[in-house]
Each structure stands twice: as C-alpha cells, then as structure tokens.
Amino acid sequence: MVRVEGPRSLYSGLVAGLQRQMSFASVRIGLYDSVKQFYTKGSDHIGIGSRLMAGCTTGAMAVALAQPTDVVKVRFQAQISAGANKRYHGTMDAYRTIAKEEGFRGLWKGTGPNITRNAIVNCTELVTYDLIKDALIKSMLMTDDLPCHFTSAFGAGFCTTVIASPVDVVKTRYMNSAQGQYSSALNCAVAMFAKEGPKAFYKGFMPSFLRLGSWNVVMFVTYEQLKRALMAARHNWVTPL
C-alpha cells in the first residue's frame, strides 16, 4: 500500500474512524457499568450473565447510533487512494454520496451483522477484561494497577479477535459490496464459505489482532486511569481540606 498509494493510504478513513470510535466508545463503555447495575437490580453479586447482557445491550445501542460512521470508514478504506477515480473525496462527501445514491438506508447498510459483531466484540472485550483482571487480583499475581490493566486488556484483545473475526469479515465484505451483490449478510457468509472455504472467515487475523490488541490496551488503560482520577477528584470535592 505504501509503495503503490503512498504512506497516507494507511490512514485512509481516519476522520470517519475517529467519529466511529468516539461515538461507539461513549455509548458501549460509558453506559456499560450503568446497564450492568440495571440487570443486577442493585445486587452486590455480578454474575457473568449480567455482564454478557450488559455487553450485548450497549454494543447494540452503539451500532444503532453510529452505523453511518462505520459505513463511511469501511468504504474509504476499501477505495484506492491513488489516481483520479476516487469515489469519495472527503468524509462529508462520502456521507452525501451514499445518501444520494443509495438513500439514507445506505448509511445503515449492514446494521444487522454489525449489531451481531459489536454485541460479540463488546461482550468478549468487557467480560474477558473483567474476568482476567478479577482472576489476577484474586490470585494475588498482580495488584489493581497499570501492569494488571495492560495484561488484562491484551488478553481481552486476543480473545475478542478469535471469537469475533468471522462476523467481522462478513460485516466488512457485506458493507463494502456492490448494490445487489448479496441479498443479505447471511447470503454473503454462505457465498464466502462456498467459494473460499472456512479459512475465509479468519482472513486478516493478524492485522485484526494487532488492531484489537492495541485498541484494548489503549482503551482500558486510559479508562482505568481516568476513572481513578475522577474518583480521587470526587473524593477531594466531597471531603475538602
């Protein structure tokens, strides 16, 4: 890509990607604890079922809100940056072009598989992070600090890639397909399996793992540090010197 399209091609769709991550993270992480408490009805015991339900719920809510940003990001990343035949010439141009050519429903293309994908990713990321972190602390291998957060986040990234890769591949293939190429996401998955076999569902596993692994480390480490800082600030506000 760098040789043919230049180094900027590695950051294709960056603006839409930032819009996606900001809106997705705000909903699926920001509401996770509140939704988890809703499912436990205030109980101190939080089982894995409540965690899974909270992950599914916030993942689906994030997709319903931010699906257009994901569609634009995928389209940008798929188009060749070099040459004059670029379909989209900017982020806002992409939103306008898709809405004009495919209707507003085009901006929500692939919502079904994306909800499935994000429910799986959200559950796996948040639940495995919670479980790995709790196991490390309870076994006294680590304390609740930066190394523990880093290890838990990296483990969650690997688990997420293994479980979510098939849905991720189908989602990307379907969202980037020409109009009418596949009748549904299920039809896309069946066609992939018939033409390319089961290995097709794990195509791009390593870059996907590098992406999710690094994303999880940055997300959870930042989240834990911000949460700790906000709790300290709140404590100082409630009990002033």
Side-chain angles (χ1 to χ4, degrees):
M1 286 175 64
V2 171
R3 187 173 64 250
V4 176
E5 304 174 44
R8 289 184 63 184
S9 66
L10 296 175
Y11 289 89
S12 182
L14 178 63
V15 174
L18 288 170
Q19 293 171 348
R20 176 190 182 277
Q21 291 304 131
M22 290 170 67
S23 51
F24 267 61
S26 298
V27 176
R28 71 188 190 95
I29 301 168
L31 295 179
Y32 176 70
D33 283 337
S34 299
V35 174
K36 187 167 62 175
Q37 289 298 322
F38 171 78
Y39 283 121
T40 57
K41 302 189 186 301
S43 172
D44 291 333
H45 174 70
I46 301 175
I48 192 169
S50 299
R51 300 178 202 236
L52 289 170
M53 288 294 291
C56 285
T57 303
T58 55
M61 290 168 65
V63 173
L65 174 70
Q67 178 67 7
T69 64
D70 205 18
V71 171
V72 171
K73 178 185 77 74
V74 169
R75 298 283 182 91
F76 253 110
Q77 291 174 344
Q79 78 173 354
I80 298 174
S81 299
N85 296 322
K86 292 199 297 184
R87 188 177 181 188
Y88 310 114
H89 299 281
T91 304
M92 295 310 297
D93 177 62
Y95 286 116
R96 285 193 295 268
T97 302
I98 293 170
K100 183 179 179 181
E101 294 180 357
E102 304 173 39
F104 280 102
R105 290 184 63 182
L107 291 170
W108 271 268
K109 185 176 183 179
T111 299
N114 210 12
I115 284 177
T116 305
R117 184 255 180 198
N118 274 278
I120 293 170
V121 167
N122 216 36
C123 283
T124 311
E125 278 182 351
L126 298 173
V127 174
T128 54
Y129 177 80
D130 263 356
L131 294 174
I132 293 170
K133 179 183 163 187
D134 287 350
L136 290 171
I137 294 171
K138 287 178 181 177
S139 63
M140 292 186 286
L141 291 171
M142 291 183 174
T143 56
D144 190 5
D145 54 13
L146 188 61
C148 177
H149 303 156
F150 183 94
T151 305
S152 303
F154 196 76
F158 179 76
C159 294
T160 303
T161 309
V162 171
I163 294 172
S165 189
V167 181
D168 210 10
V169 171
V170 172
K171 180 214 78 167
T172 303
R173 189 81 65 93
Y174 180 66
M175 284 170 60
N176 197 46
S177 63
Q179 201 165 5
Q181 183 176 354
Y182 303 112
S183 59
S184 65
L186 180 61
N187 175 250
C188 176
V190 171
M192 282 176 58
F193 184 81
K195 292 179 182 178
E196 304 170 52
K199 285 186 177 180
F201 295 98
Y202 282 91
K203 186 176 282 188
F205 180 85
M206 186 51 67
S208 183
F209 169 59
L210 292 173
R211 171 185 166 272
L212 281 172
S214 57
W215 155 250
N216 272 272
V217 168
V218 172
M219 175 182 71
F220 283 116
V221 168
T222 305
Y223 170 73
E224 293 282 5
Q225 299 310 307
L226 283 172
K227 185 170 74 171
R228 188 167 295 183
L230 288 170
M231 288 176 68
R234 184 180 179 184
H235 178 74
N236 291 335
W237 177 266
V238 173
T239 56
L241 294 176

